Amino acid sequence: MIKHIPNLITCSNLMSGCLGIVFAFQGKLEWSIYSIWVAMVFDFLDGFTARMLKVSSDIGKQLDSLADMVTFGLLPAIFLFHLFSDDAGYLSYLSFLVAVFSALRLAKFNVDDSQSDSFVGMPTPANALFISSLVFVFQSYPGIKSNELLMVITIVCSLWLVMPVRLLALKFSGFSFKPNVFRYLLILLSLCLIVVFGLLSFPLIILSYLVLSIINNLSLTNNIVGI
């Protein structure tokens, strides 16, 4: 029974995504957001539990990606689709590019063994967090919402899923400061942004994550060149 516990948690991630899709089609976008957040907790716990119990398996890895495809790929795409106004017409169907590129992202992750301590491209949970938090931004600043802006956001959120850029993974092999300086900076900056901006902080946190990862890559390159 113990070996099935991580898979049960992964299935809870999938169930949260399915419920989020139902909420989205009912127009309850805030409940969709909560579904994504709950799923992110399950997504963290399944891997953590598998490592703790030492029951990692190839089936668990595939199941995790299938669940992520629904929760952090399809659901954000549907979420974006509902953010477009009624007069967007066929433009709103661009939102499903997020689902397509999420599938590409997850497929690449499953066959790439080099993504154990870092990611290549934006992780699908981070992308889903960015997209879902747009509701709070548009609620606070309704004047900035437009179909054109949503089209740009859709394209950016699709492309950065598969961009050939290494991004930080919050996996600590040790807790010494120097090799983890950018991870600690990201955690500290995220906490500060949450305190100052509350729910509006999440898009800023994802953008900070991207910027800090790029700076980390540049610092590693400079260190190699300097050797």
Side-chain angles (χ1 to χ4, degrees), residues 9-156:
I9 297 173
T10 302
C11 289
S12 299
N13 165 7
L14 177 57
M15 180 61 71
S16 297
C18 292
L19 291 174
I21 290 172
V22 173
F23 290 137
F25 278 114
Q26 291 177 341
K28 301 175 182 177
L29 293 186
E30 289 197 11
W31 283 98
S32 286
I33 295 172
Y34 301 145
S35 297
I36 289 174
W37 292 357
V38 170
M40 290 181 70
V41 174
F42 287 131
D43 188 53
F44 168 78
L45 288 176
D46 62 3
F48 176 81
T49 304
R51 290 189 294 271
M52 184 178 66
L53 298 176
K54 298 180 180 179
V55 291
S56 298
S57 67
D58 289 336
I59 290 178
K61 182 179 180 180
Q62 299 300 325
L63 181 61
D64 184 69
S65 289
L66 290 170
D68 286 355
M69 179 58 218
V70 173
T71 306
F72 306 128
L74 181 58
L75 176 51
I78 293 172
F79 196 91
L80 271 174
F81 177 79
H82 281 276
L83 286 179
F84 279 91
S85 61
D86 293 336
D87 62 355
Y90 290 112
L91 187 66
S92 61
Y93 291 97
L94 280 175
S95 59
F96 291 100
L97 285 173
V98 170
V100 173
F101 279 85
S102 293
L104 290 171
R105 167 74 179 84
L106 291 165
K108 288 175 62 179
F109 177 80
N110 278 2
V111 298
D112 187 356
D113 294 331
S114 71
Q115 297 190 53
S116 58
D117 58 354
S118 64
F119 299 115
V120 178
M122 184 68 69
T124 53
N127 195 46
L129 178 62
F130 180 86
I131 292 172
S132 63
S133 61
L134 293 175
V135 164
F136 302 115
V137 176
F138 293 148
Q139 285 176 345
S140 299
Y141 305 98
I144 68 172
K145 183 184 176 184
S146 67
N147 292 327
E148 292 74 20
L149 176 61
L150 287 169
M151 180 183 67
V152 171
I153 290 172
T154 297
I155 293 172
V156 169

Side-chain angles (χ1 to χ4, degrees), residues 144-196:
I144 68 172
K145 183 184 176 184
S146 67
N147 292 327
E148 292 74 20
L149 176 61
L150 287 169
M151 180 183 67
V152 171
I153 290 172
T154 297
I155 293 172
V156 169
C157 287
S158 298
L159 292 179
W160 71 12
L161 285 164
V162 295
M163 63 183 178
V165 177
R166 287 207 168 267
L167 302 181
L168 292 165
L170 289 179
K171 298 177 182 178
F172 292 82
S173 56
F175 294 100
S176 56
F177 181 75
K178 189 173 181 180
N180 296 303
V181 59
F182 287 97
R183 292 182 176 89
Y184 286 129
L185 281 174
L186 177 60
I187 292 171
L188 178 61
L189 182 57
S190 298
L191 292 174
C192 292
L193 288 171
I194 290 172
V195 170
V196 175

